[in-house]
Amino acid sequence: MDQTASKTSPKDFFLHLLAMIALYASAISFSAVVWQYINLGIPDPLEQYFSADAARSTLRHSLSVLIVFFPTYLATSWTLHKSYLADVSKRNLRVRKWLTYFTLFVAAIIILVDLVSLINTFLNGELTIRFFLKMLTVLFVAGSIFGYYFWDLKKFKFE
């Protein structure tokens, strides 16, 4: 089959969209889980609005989202990978290209904003281990997503 002959079906569109939404929800939830563990493990005595109960509530909610959405991301990614093996031209679907490039764009912006925030906080003399761990979490999550999808683009070169 010609590599550009495949058209996007509704199934393709919704599987790709579901995979990306599940990825974003998983990334946000994972970050929130780590942040709440940091908040609970390294409390800031100067933070007036911190509540351990609120942190635990956010932790429960984030874990719930992660438990549902991360397996959804894995399952949809696995299903999409199977469809790519069955029909190589599906790797060149426009919806896949758009969502992949959008994901790279969002991850790059998050990394840049994270680095600006880290430098700004350092220059203000307010850098704490708690802040540094939170920035490291964001950098790890966004960097992992960016790295994986950038590798995917290079490995299966879009045309």
Side-chain angles (χ1 to χ4, degrees), residues 53-69:
D53 289 337
R56 286 186 195 94
S57 176
T58 301
L59 183 59
R60 282 190 302 273
H61 177 74
S62 298
L63 279 171
S64 299
V65 171
L66 191 59
I67 288 168
V68 172
F69 277 89

mmCIF file of all heavy atoms in Angstrom, residues 53-69:
data_model
loop_
_atom_site.group_PDB
_atom_site.id
_atom_site.type_symbol
_atom_site.label_atom_id
_atom_site.label_comp_id
_atom_site.label_asym_id
_atom_site.label_seq_id
_atom_site.Cartn_x
_atom_site.Cartn_y
_atom_site.Cartn_z
ATOM 1 N N ASP A 53 -4.628 18.449 54.963
ATOM 2 C CA ASP A 53 -5.845 17.780 54.493
ATOM 3 C C ASP A 53 -6.095 18.068 53.015
ATOM 4 O O ASP A 53 -6.466 17.178 52.248
ATOM 5 C CB ASP A 53 -7.061 18.216 55.319
ATOM 6 C CG ASP A 53 -7.029 17.667 56.737
ATOM 7 O OD1 ASP A 53 -6.350 16.638 56.959
ATOM 8 O OD2 ASP A 53 -7.674 18.269 57.614
ATOM 9 N N ALA A 54 -5.889 19.311 52.599
ATOM 10 C CA ALA A 54 -6.064 19.666 51.186
ATOM 11 C C ALA A 54 -5.026 18.953 50.328
ATOM 12 O O ALA A 54 -5.334 18.480 49.227
ATOM 13 C CB ALA A 54 -5.966 21.182 51.003
ATOM 14 N N ALA A 55 -3.796 18.856 50.824
ATOM 15 C CA ALA A 55 -2.740 18.154 50.088
ATOM 16 C C ALA A 55 -3.097 16.671 49.932
ATOM 17 O O ALA A 55 -2.924 16.097 48.853
ATOM 18 C CB ALA A 55 -1.398 18.308 50.796
ATOM 19 N N ARG A 56 -3.606 16.070 50.977
ATOM 20 C CA ARG A 56 -4.009 14.653 50.906
ATOM 21 C C ARG A 56 -5.194 14.460 49.956
ATOM 22 O O ARG A 56 -5.262 13.475 49.229
ATOM 23 C CB ARG A 56 -4.327 14.123 52.293
ATOM 24 C CG ARG A 56 -3.110 13.896 53.139
ATOM 25 C CD ARG A 56 -3.438 13.224 54.477
ATOM 26 N NE ARG A 56 -2.326 13.354 55.379
ATOM 27 C CZ ARG A 56 -2.183 14.320 56.278
ATOM 28 N NH1 ARG A 56 -3.105 15.250 56.427
ATOM 29 N NH2 ARG A 56 -1.117 14.374 57.053
ATOM 30 N N SER A 57 -6.116 15.409 49.955
ATOM 31 C CA SER A 57 -7.251 15.345 49.039
ATOM 32 C C SER A 57 -6.782 15.446 47.588
ATOM 33 O O SER A 57 -7.230 14.677 46.724
ATOM 34 C CB SER A 57 -8.241 16.468 49.363
ATOM 35 O OG SER A 57 -9.296 16.478 48.431
ATOM 36 N N THR A 58 -5.888 16.384 47.322
ATOM 37 C CA THR A 58 -5.326 16.521 45.974
ATOM 38 C C THR A 58 -4.561 15.264 45.597
ATOM 39 O O THR A 58 -4.647 14.800 44.452
ATOM 40 C CB THR A 58 -4.394 17.755 45.904
ATOM 41 O OG1 THR A 58 -5.160 18.906 46.249
ATOM 42 C CG2 THR A 58 -3.788 17.925 44.525
ATOM 43 N N LEU A 59 -3.841 14.693 46.537
ATOM 44 C CA LEU A 59 -3.092 13.465 46.300
ATOM 45 C C LEU A 59 -4.029 12.315 45.924
ATOM 46 O O LEU A 59 -3.787 11.601 44.948
ATOM 47 C CB LEU A 59 -2.268 13.115 47.539
ATOM 48 C CG LEU A 59 -1.366 11.904 47.467
ATOM 49 C CD1 LEU A 59 -0.349 12.055 46.352
ATOM 50 C CD2 LEU A 59 -0.662 11.694 48.807
ATOM 51 N N ARG A 60 -5.120 12.154 46.666
ATOM 52 C CA ARG A 60 -6.100 11.093 46.355
ATOM 53 C C ARG A 60 -6.707 11.289 44.965
ATOM 54 O O ARG A 60 -6.821 10.338 44.186
ATOM 55 C CB ARG A 60 -7.210 11.068 47.405
ATOM 56 C CG ARG A 60 -6.821 10.410 48.702
ATOM 57 C CD ARG A 60 -8.032 10.195 49.607
ATOM 58 N NE ARG A 60 -8.729 11.434 49.926
ATOM 59 C CZ ARG A 60 -8.422 12.228 50.939
ATOM 60 N NH1 ARG A 60 -7.430 11.937 51.744
ATOM 61 N NH2 ARG A 60 -9.117 13.327 51.167
ATOM 62 N N HIS A 61 -7.090 12.520 44.665
ATOM 63 C CA HIS A 61 -7.690 12.812 43.368
ATOM 64 C C HIS A 61 -6.695 12.548 42.231
ATOM 65 O O HIS A 61 -7.034 11.916 41.232
ATOM 66 C CB HIS A 61 -8.190 14.257 43.315
ATOM 67 C CG HIS A 61 -8.748 14.636 41.986
ATOM 68 N ND1 HIS A 61 -9.979 14.200 41.544
ATOM 69 C CD2 HIS A 61 -8.222 15.374 40.983
ATOM 70 C CE1 HIS A 61 -10.187 14.657 40.317
ATOM 71 N NE2 HIS A 61 -9.134 15.376 39.954
ATOM 72 N N SER A 62 -5.482 13.020 42.389
ATOM 73 C CA SER A 62 -4.457 12.839 41.357
ATOM 74 C C SER A 62 -4.125 11.364 41.154
ATOM 75 O O SER A 62 -3.934 10.919 40.014
ATOM 76 C CB SER A 62 -3.202 13.621 41.718
ATOM 77 O OG SER A 62 -3.492 14.992 41.774
ATOM 78 N N LEU A 63 -4.038 10.617 42.242
ATOM 79 C CA LEU A 63 -3.793 9.172 42.122
ATOM 80 C C LEU A 63 -4.945 8.487 41.393
ATOM 81 O O LEU A 63 -4.724 7.594 40.570
ATOM 82 C CB LEU A 63 -3.590 8.543 43.504
ATOM 83 C CG LEU A 63 -2.208 8.705 44.104
ATOM 84 C CD1 LEU A 63 -2.194 8.241 45.555
ATOM 85 C CD2 LEU A 63 -1.171 7.941 43.292
ATOM 86 N N SER A 64 -6.170 8.902 41.686
ATOM 87 C CA SER A 64 -7.338 8.322 41.008
ATOM 88 C C SER A 64 -7.278 8.571 39.511
ATOM 89 O O SER A 64 -7.510 7.662 38.705
ATOM 90 C CB SER A 64 -8.635 8.915 41.564
ATOM 91 O OG SER A 64 -8.764 8.649 42.932
ATOM 92 N N VAL A 65 -6.963 9.797 39.132
ATOM 93 C CA VAL A 65 -6.845 10.137 37.706
ATOM 94 C C VAL A 65 -5.726 9.316 37.073
ATOM 95 O O VAL A 65 -5.897 8.750 35.988
ATOM 96 C CB VAL A 65 -6.608 11.654 37.513
ATOM 97 C CG1 VAL A 65 -6.272 11.981 36.068
ATOM 98 C CG2 VAL A 65 -7.837 12.441 37.970
ATOM 99 N N LEU A 66 -4.599 9.223 37.744
ATOM 100 C CA LEU A 66 -3.452 8.479 37.215
ATOM 101 C C LEU A 66 -3.773 6.997 37.047
ATOM 102 O O LEU A 66 -3.419 6.389 36.027
ATOM 103 C CB LEU A 66 -2.251 8.671 38.147
ATOM 104 C CG LEU A 66 -0.900 8.199 37.654
ATOM 105 C CD1 LEU A 66 -0.509 8.905 36.368
ATOM 106 C CD2 LEU A 66 0.154 8.444 38.731
ATOM 107 N N ILE A 67 -4.477 6.420 38.003
ATOM 108 C CA ILE A 67 -4.832 4.996 37.948
ATOM 109 C C ILE A 67 -5.763 4.699 36.776
ATOM 110 O O ILE A 67 -5.702 3.627 36.181
ATOM 111 C CB ILE A 67 -5.445 4.542 39.292
ATOM 112 C CG1 ILE A 67 -4.337 4.478 40.366
ATOM 113 C CG2 ILE A 67 -6.164 3.206 39.174
ATOM 114 C CD1 ILE A 67 -4.852 4.324 41.779
ATOM 115 N N VAL A 68 -6.598 5.641 36.403
ATOM 116 C CA VAL A 68 -7.521 5.445 35.283
ATOM 117 C C VAL A 68 -6.876 5.818 33.945
ATOM 118 O O VAL A 68 -6.942 5.065 32.973
ATOM 119 C CB VAL A 68 -8.829 6.250 35.488
ATOM 120 C CG1 VAL A 68 -9.703 6.209 34.246
ATOM 121 C CG2 VAL A 68 -9.585 5.715 36.702
ATOM 122 N N PHE A 69 -6.235 6.978 33.886
ATOM 123 C CA PHE A 69 -5.777 7.497 32.600
ATOM 124 C C PHE A 69 -4.471 6.889 32.093
ATOM 125 O O PHE A 69 -4.297 6.757 30.880
ATOM 126 C CB PHE A 69 -5.660 9.031 32.643
ATOM 127 C CG PHE A 69 -6.965 9.715 32.392
ATOM 128 C CD1 PHE A 69 -7.822 10.013 33.436
ATOM 129 C CD2 PHE A 69 -7.346 10.052 31.107
ATOM 130 C CE1 PHE A 69 -9.031 10.640 33.206
ATOM 131 C CE2 PHE A 69 -8.551 10.679 30.859
ATOM 132 C CZ PHE A 69 -9.399 10.968 31.909
#
